[in-house]
Amino acid sequence: YAFLGIALVHHSASAFNPLDKSNVVNYWGQNTVSYTGGSEGDLIEHCKDNTATVFALAFVNQIQNGLPIMNLSKHCSQTYPGTSILHCPKIGQDIKSCQAQGKAIVVSIGGASGSYSLPDAASGRALAEQMWDMFLGGSSSTRPFGDAIVDGIDLDLESGQNSGYVAFIETLRSKFASSSSKGRRYYITAAPQCPYPDIATKDALEKSWFDMVWVQFYNNVCGVQNYGTQHFNFDTWNTWATTVSANKNVRILLGVPGGPGAAGTGVIDASRLTTIVNGVKAYSHFGGVMMWDAGVARSSGLSSTAIKILRQSLSSSPSSSSPSFRSSSTR
């Protein structure tokens, strides 16, 4: 997709499990399907479809005077008076309804365009405080989704100077730990591009704790269009998970375009997706499929296909059992 991703997630509904090998992640908010005459629809519509377990709201693509500024395309344009901060009460209600159905909802920072650099630790800590207050467990008079508490923060870093995201994650983790007694769990995920190491997310991937990493296997030579050749590198990311990742239980998800028009390269159909999932599901850290984005995946039917083949192919597989999980809220 065209934007940025590391996710920090809290979840209280029992249906979502970050260790499952059958999670399906959809990005929602940029209305990509409108380029081909379609409409993405409200978030709650996608939750009711039951074709995904996680939704990443795209995107916080600007940091202005230390404040995170969201762009949700045509879904929400209302702002708090005198600010550029979105005020989207309807989406807030949808978030709570989705969570009640067992979906995890994360806010994604970044994207292919925007200004979200965190060049040093001080800027990282400062943004973490704002994200906590505006989207997570803190308080602010300018919360974009009102009293809805999202399940996390997704970082899809694709440009900029991003060393400060290490301190960003550390700061949020300290807040997660203080919230664990209240029954809330928070997880961290990332959406690097498939070339390894991913330059934009390199520092954080080497130093920070992630629970899920959904890799963009498209728009690059290492993408799914080259599955079956030496260029496709899911094995490289599985090696990262076993040897570099701070969390040895991290899950790696196969990121694919949701259908025609969603990416320059890597667009595949249901049959090809089935073949590739059957080929990578045996990797020890495989965790499911991510799609850019929800509207396109719904129009093509690929998201529905993904969750069906994952549940069917993994339900009887011994490798689908989950190891014991150390909650990220304690680290």
Side-chain angles (χ1 to χ4, degrees), residues 215-236:
V215 181
Q216 300 179 48
F217 287 103
Y218 48 91
N219 290 337
N220 285 287
V221 70
C222 44
V224 289
Q225 75 275 10
N226 285 320
Y227 174 75
T229 76
Q230 63 180 354
H231 298 297
F232 179 71
N233 67 344
F234 195 98
D235 60 332
T236 299

Side-chain angles (χ1 to χ4, degrees), residues 196-276:
Y196 183 87
D198 176 68
I199 300 304
T201 321
K202 183 176 183 293
D203 290 340
L205 288 171
E206 290 180 351
K207 300 173 183 178
S208 303
W209 179 282
F210 293 93
D211 301 287
M212 303 171 74
V213 173
W214 38 76
V215 181
Q216 300 179 48
F217 287 103
Y218 48 91
N219 290 337
N220 285 287
V221 70
C222 44
V224 289
Q225 75 275 10
N226 285 320
Y227 174 75
T229 76
Q230 63 180 354
H231 298 297
F232 179 71
N233 67 344
F234 195 98
D235 60 332
T236 299
W237 285 96
N238 197 74
T239 299
W240 166 83
T242 59
T243 61
V244 179
S245 173
N247 176 13
K248 299 304 187 241
N249 284 338
V250 66
R251 288 288 179 258
I252 307 297
L253 280 72
L254 178 79
V256 301
T265 63
V267 176
I268 56 176
D269 60 16
S271 176
R272 189 60 172 164
L273 179 63
T274 301
T275 298
I276 298 171

Side-chain angles (χ1 to χ4, degrees), residues 80-145:
Y80 283 96
T83 78
S84 298
I85 299 171
L86 289 181
H87 183 204
C88 314
K90 168 59 169 63
I91 296 176
Q93 291 301 314
D94 284 1
I95 289 170
K96 290 189 284 186
S97 295
C98 290
Q99 291 170 327
Q101 297 176 34
K103 314 301 182 185
I105 309 296
V106 305
V107 168
S108 186
I109 301 177
S113 62
S115 178
Y116 46 79
S117 291
L118 295 180
D120 52 41
S123 60
R125 288 190 290 267
L127 182 64
E129 294 287 347
Q130 293 293 342
M131 294 299 292
W132 176 256
D133 286 342
M134 293 172 64
F135 296 100
L136 295 158
S139 61
S140 170
S141 60
T142 54
R143 288 177 64 90
F145 306 129

Side-chain angles (χ1 to χ4, degrees), residues 7-22:
L8 306 166
V9 191
H10 114 253
H11 197 64
S12 56
S14 59
F16 170 69
N17 180 353
L19 285 176
D20 279 351
K21 291 171 136 333
S22 58

Side-chain angles (χ1 to χ4, degrees), residues 4-126:
L4 148 98
I6 292 175
L8 306 166
V9 191
H10 114 253
H11 197 64
S12 56
S14 59
F16 170 69
N17 180 353
L19 285 176
D20 279 351
K21 291 171 136 333
S22 58
N23 276 309
V24 174
V25 179
N26 277 186
Y27 277 80
W28 177 91
Q30 286 302 301
N31 203 23
T32 303
V33 73
S34 67
Y35 297 125
T36 55
S39 176
E40 189 168 53
D42 291 344
L43 177 62
I44 189 61
E45 296 175 21
H46 293 273
C47 293
K48 289 179 178 177
D49 281 350
N50 202 30
T51 56
T53 55
V54 182
F55 290 92
L57 309 187
F59 286 101
V60 169
N61 68 339
Q62 299 283 335
I63 302 172
Q64 297 180 5
N65 298 319
L67 294 173
I69 305 300
M70 289 200 82
N71 178 315
L72 292 173
S73 186
K74 297 179 181 179
H75 291 294
C76 179
S77 58
Q78 180 182 354
T79 58
Y80 283 96
T83 78
S84 298
I85 299 171
L86 289 181
H87 183 204
C88 314
K90 168 59 169 63
I91 296 176
Q93 291 301 314
D94 284 1
I95 289 170
K96 290 189 284 186
S97 295
C98 290
Q99 291 170 327
Q101 297 176 34
K103 314 301 182 185
I105 309 296
V106 305
V107 168
S108 186
I109 301 177
S113 62
S115 178
Y116 46 79
S117 291
L118 295 180
D120 52 41
S123 60
R125 288 190 290 267

